[in-house]
């Protein structure tokens, strides 16, 4: 409902009464108001200031329109409003009455339990009489109460009433949201939710298709993200053994271009850091040599060219000089001659001794006296 | 050399006097050496004649007496030099024998010469070794020498420890 600075302001009360007032509390000119009946009835003013009619529509010069209702409806609404107000006002009294009746019943029941006499006196007709009274009251009051409540609820726009009369901001300010949240059993609420069904109803493909991944990625500061990542902690938590066990290393190696990798490596610094002596000490040279098949290697060797480059004469001369071949021949020959000479000498001595013994026996000479035997 | 020859060698158990068999064998080897040396002399003389007068060359006609004199001379010189220098001739060296003086040392040149002459002109004296209790020949008895077993090298007899 728009308003101008000099346009009359229209306001309709909950009872349907339209009030016309000036925005600056001045008089309202009649040429700025249009009053018409929506059902063709006559519009008249009873006291020159207030107009009454059935189903009247009041239009302001700025286009605002308010429709009033008939007086009979106003009367009914007023009665309903009064009854509702009375019912609402008597709520505490009725609550007190019920509370008193319940209290009296509790007292009487407790007294009956404690007193056999009272139990006998009140046994039987007392309960029936009280029940009859209650049924009578309920049969009389229930239709009335029901009608009053229905009429009040039908006539009252509770939502509008609350919006106009309740300061929701103040109410919200007084509301202890944290206390409310603490009182909510989120676990219970979540337990009642069928997450599987909810997830099944979600069209993830459609959601993903609507996401501008390129835009999202373009907006991410990858450098900052990487700086915040504790790669060491991640690596420590990773089961590298298990991960490696899952990798098909043979397939990976087959896909690698080792020649290209080798061309890109600067092996000189790496080799300079290697302790080759330690490596060689750890090698089982005999085992390595035993696994080598020399035949293919030898078949590829050009022995003629290799022999042509070798000074065999010089090498042979060095070998002969080194091993002293003449000395070896001389020693071996001398050894043979020495053995022959030794044999001749032994046999000669034995022959001498034999002759000496023979002569000794002939001349009955003692060998000891001759000193021939050691 | 003279001083070395005068050093005693000793007569341990390993230097027992040699018997008739080994000494006779040594003598036979020495005789062969002398014959070879005489042959070399003959060939040398013939070669000299060939060089001197090749046109008139003919093998020398040497009488038995001359041959005998030459052989004896060669034998004396050969044995003298051998005994005086090492105490053993080639035959003695082959059989492991050594000639020692009465002091147990290698004989000197005079003794070696006299013994060589004695042995060349009276080789039968060697037979006394068979009868001698100390296995001495006539030459050994006269000249007071002894022939012992000595299997060491040619240079070893100069040692005085034995």
């Amino acid at each position: 409902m728009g308003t101008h600075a000099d346009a009359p302001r229209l306001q309709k009360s909950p009872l349907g009464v339209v009030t016309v007032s000036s925005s600056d509390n001045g008089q309202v000119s009649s040429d700025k108001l249009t009053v018409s009946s929506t059902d063709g009835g006559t519009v008249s003013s009873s006291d020159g200031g207030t107009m009454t009619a059935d189903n009247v529509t009041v239009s302001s010069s700025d286009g605002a329109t308010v429709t009033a209702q008939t007086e009979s409806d106003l009367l009914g609404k007023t009665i309903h409003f009064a009854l509702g107000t009375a019912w609402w006002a008597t709520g505490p009294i009725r609550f007190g009455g019920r509370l008193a009746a319940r209290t009296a019943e509790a007292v009487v029941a407790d007294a009956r339990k404690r007193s056999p006499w009272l139990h006998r006196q009140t046994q039987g007709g007392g309960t029936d009489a009280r029940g009859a009274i209650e049924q009578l009251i309920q049969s009389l009051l229930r239709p009335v109460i029901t009608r009053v409540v229905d009429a009040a609820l039908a006539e009252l726009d509770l939502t509008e009433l609350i919006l106009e009369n309740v300061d929701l901001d103040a109410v919200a300010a007084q509301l202890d949201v944290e206390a409310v949240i603490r009182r909510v059993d989120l676990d219970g609420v979540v337990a009642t939710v069928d997450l599987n069904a909810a997830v099944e109803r979600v069209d993830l493909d459609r959601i993903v298709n609507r996401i501008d991944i390129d835009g999202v990625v373009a907006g991410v500061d990858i450098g900052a993200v990487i700086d915040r990542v504790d790669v060491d902690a991640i690596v420590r938590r990773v089961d590298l053994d298990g991960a490696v066990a899952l990798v098909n290393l043979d397939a990976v190696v087959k896909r690698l271009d080792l020649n290209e990798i080798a061309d890109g490596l600067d092996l000189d610094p790496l080799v300079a850091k290697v302790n080759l002596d330690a490596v060689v000490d750890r090698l089982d040279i005999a085992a390595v040599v035993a696994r080598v098949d020399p035949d293919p290697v030898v078949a590829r060797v050009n022995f003629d060219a290799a022999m042509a480059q070798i000074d065999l004469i010089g090498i042979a001369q060095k070998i002969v000089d080194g091993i002293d071949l003449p000395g070896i021949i001389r020693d071996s020959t001398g050894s043979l001659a020495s053995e022959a000479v030794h044999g001749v000498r032994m046999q000669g001595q034995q022959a001498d001794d034999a002759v000496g013994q023979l002569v000794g026996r002939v001349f009955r000479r003692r060998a000891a006296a001759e000193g021939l035997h050691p | 050399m003279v001083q070395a020859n005068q050093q005693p060698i000793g007569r341990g158990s390993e230097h027992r006097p040699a018997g008739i068999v080994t000494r006779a064998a040594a003598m036979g080897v020495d005789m062969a050496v002398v014959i070879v040396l005489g042959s070399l002399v003959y060939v040398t003389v013939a070669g000299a004649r060939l060089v001197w007068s090749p046109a008139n060359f003919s093998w020398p006609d040497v009488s038995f007496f001359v041959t005998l004199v030459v052989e004896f001379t060669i034998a004396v010189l050969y044995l003298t030099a051998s005994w005086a220098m090492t105490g053993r001739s080639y035959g003695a060296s082959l059989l492991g024998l050594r000639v020692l003086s009465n002091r147990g040392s290698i004989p000197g040149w005079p003794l070696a010469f006299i013994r060589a002459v004695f042995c060349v002109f009276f080789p039968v004296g060697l037979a006394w070794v068979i009868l001698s209790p100390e296995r001495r020949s006539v030459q050994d008895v006269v000249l007071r020498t002894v022939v012992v077993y000595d299997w060491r090298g040619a240079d070893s007899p100069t040692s005085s420890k034995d």
Side-chain angles (χ1 to χ4, degrees), chain A residues 341-342 344-357 359 363 365 370-374, chain B residues 13 16-23 88 92-96 130-133 135 149-152:
Chain A
V341 169
H342 184 269
V344 171
R345 288 173 177 175
M346 287 295 296
Q347 291 178 1
Q349 279 197 7
Q350 292 173 0
D352 288 341
D353 293 339
V355 172
Q357 290 174 3
V359 174
F363 293 96
R365 190 185 300 158
E370 297 177 358
L372 299 177
H373 299 286
Chain B
S13 57
R16 293 186 298 126
I20 182 61
V21 176
T22 54
R23 293 180 67 169
R88 53 175 43 172
S93 176
L94 189 63
L95 271 299
I130 302 172
L131 303 177
S132 172
R135 295 184 173 180
Y149 297 119
D150 187 355
W151 289 10
R152 296 172 301 177

Side-chain angles (χ1 to χ4, degrees), chain A residues 86-109:
Chain A
W87 178 258
W88 175 78
T90 58
I93 298 173
R94 288 184 280 109
F95 176 75
R98 287 198 299 270
L99 183 61
R102 298 284 175 84
T103 303
E105 288 179 1
V107 171
V108 171

Side-chain angles (χ1 to χ4, degrees), chain A residues 169-329:
Chain A
D169 294 334
V171 173
Q174 294 296 325
L175 186 62
D176 187 356
V177 178
E178 294 180 356
V180 173
I181 293 173
R182 283 195 297 269
R183 294 175 62 182
V184 174
D185 184 8
L186 292 176
D187 294 334
V189 173
V190 173
T192 60
V193 177
D194 187 358
L195 293 176
N196 293 327
V199 171
E200 290 177 355
R201 295 173 61 184
V202 176
D203 188 357
L204 291 176
D205 294 335
R206 186 177 180 183
I207 295 172
V208 171
N209 291 331
R210 294 176 63 182
I211 296 175
D212 182 7
I213 295 177
D214 295 334
V216 173
V217 173
V220 175
D221 185 356
I222 300 296
V225 173
I226 294 174
D227 292 339
R228 294 176 62 183
V229 175
D230 186 357
V231 178
D232 295 335
I234 294 173
V235 172
R236 282 194 296 271
R237 296 177 60 182
V238 174
D239 182 9
L240 292 178
D241 294 335
V244 172
L246 297 174
V247 176
N248 185 357
L249 293 177
D250 294 335
V252 174
V253 171
K254 288 179 180 178
R255 296 174 61 183
L256 288 177
D257 187 355
L258 296 178
N259 293 325
E260 184 177 357
I261 295 173
D263 292 340
L265 290 177
D266 186 4
L267 295 177
D268 292 338
L270 296 176
V271 174
K273 294 181 179 179
V274 177
N275 187 356
L276 293 178
D277 293 335
V279 174
V280 173
D281 292 340
R282 295 173 61 182
L283 282 178
D284 187 357
I285 302 296
V288 174
V289 173
R291 297 175 61 182
V292 174
D293 183 6
D295 294 338
V297 178
V298 173
R300 298 174 59 184
V301 176
N302 185 355
F303 284 103
D304 295 335
M307 295 292 286
Q309 297 181 3
I310 299 175
D311 183 10
L312 293 177
I313 302 301
I315 294 174
Q317 185 64 40
K318 290 182 180 179
I319 293 173
V320 170
D321 295 342
I323 64 177
D324 190 14
L325 184 60
I328 294 174
I329 296 173

